[in-house]
Amino acid sequence: MGPGAFGNSGAAPIGATRLIERDVEAPEVFEVTEEGLWDGRASLGGVWVAHPTATGPERVIIRNEENGRFVIGALFRRDRDAPGASLMVSSDAAAALGIGAADPTRLQVTALRREETADRPGPTTAAVAVATISGPVAPAQPVAPVAAVTTGSAALARPFVQIGIFSVQENANSTMQVLRNGGLVPTLYDQESNGRRFWRVVVGPAQSIADRDAMIGSVRRLGFQDAYVVAR
């Protein structure tokens, strides 16, 4: 119930090799599924979750299995003897996941690991290609070359903010609804790579740097801390 990988890539010169970073789930490092709790108090430190079996800080994806929401945050260790549920979440994580105060909620927490792969686009590869799943990406529908958004004499080469890439369409749709509820206008790209279908969610385009910065701020306040700018 959630993204199998989250990718990040920038445009590269035609024929050049570019390195693409992506997050992949690493359940062998850490994964638990059990009731989590927010104690109702404001927390410092942003989006995080704590569990007594954690061996050290980790980057994790936290999923609310009851409503399909998820967020990426930090995992910390908590005292085994502390009262309450084993999984404790911060106020920011609770807001992103739709968890009420003192309301036990079934959560899945899975460690993430950053992978870096090399991609060499061919002469016909569009600048908007995103290789978050190994291999060149072929959009399910034709995508026209991206035109930079122009404001006066300036142009934004990357006017969109990418929220995430999902292997399950239902999770992409749930994310779209969270964004709409937050006053943003998302777009869903249905794409395929090496026979594997995936869905990419972006918001935009921004009309200026200030507009884009405000958009990123809004996205991150909704819990999507790893959002980043893309051409399309």
Side-chain angles (χ1 to χ4, degrees), residues 6 57 62 68 89 95-97 113 117 146 152 159 170 194-195 201 215:
F6 298 88
I62 312 165
V89 299
L97 295 168
R113 283 292 183 267
T117 59
V146 174
E170 179 183 351
N194 291 344
V201 177
M215 191 182 301

Side-chain angles (χ1 to χ4, degrees), residues 8-76:
N8 185 358
S9 67
I14 297 299
T17 299
R18 61 180 177 177
L19 293 179
I20 298 167
E21 289 186 343
R22 64 177 183 173
D23 285 332
V24 295
E25 294 181 27
E28 71 281 3
V29 176
F30 183 90
E31 184 173 65
V32 297
T33 302
E34 56 188 76
E35 283 194 341
L37 192 69
W38 171 46
D39 62 12
R41 295 178 294 181
S43 311
L44 299 177
V47 177
W48 54 262
V49 60
H51 192 270
T53 65
T55 57
E58 293 283 355
R59 193 159 174 270
V60 293
I61 179 169
I62 312 165
R63 296 187 179 92
N64 181 341
E65 295 203 329
E66 296 179 10
N67 63 15
R69 292 189 184 185
F70 64 89
V71 68
I72 293 175
L75 169 70
F76 299 105

Side-chain angles (χ1 to χ4, degrees), residues 126-217:
V128 296
V130 179
T132 51
I133 300 176
S134 301
V137 170
Q141 297 179 350
V143 177
V146 174
V149 173
T150 302
T151 303
S153 60
L156 290 181
R158 298 182 181 184
F160 292 85
V161 177
Q162 180 154 303
I163 309 304
I165 291 174
F166 306 84
S167 58
V168 178
Q169 186 176 13
E170 179 183 351
N171 296 324
N173 292 338
S174 296
T175 296
M176 298 261 289
Q177 190 57 54
V178 172
L179 294 165
R180 291 190 191 101
N181 292 344
L184 297 166
V185 181
T187 299
L188 181 67
Y189 289 105
D190 183 342
Q191 298 179 291
E192 185 175 332
S193 175
N194 291 344
R196 295 176 61 187
R197 192 177 179 187
F198 61 96
W199 293 265
R200 188 164 63 92
V201 177
V202 303
V203 295
Q207 301 302 314
S208 67
I209 292 176
D211 184 23
R212 188 177 64 188
D213 288 346
M215 191 182 301
I216 292 173

Side-chain angles (χ1 to χ4, degrees), residues 92 95-96 213-225:
D92 285 351
D213 288 346
M215 191 182 301
I216 292 173
S218 296
V219 164
R220 289 179 176 168
R221 280 192 294 274
L222 290 173
F224 303 103
Q225 300 297 320

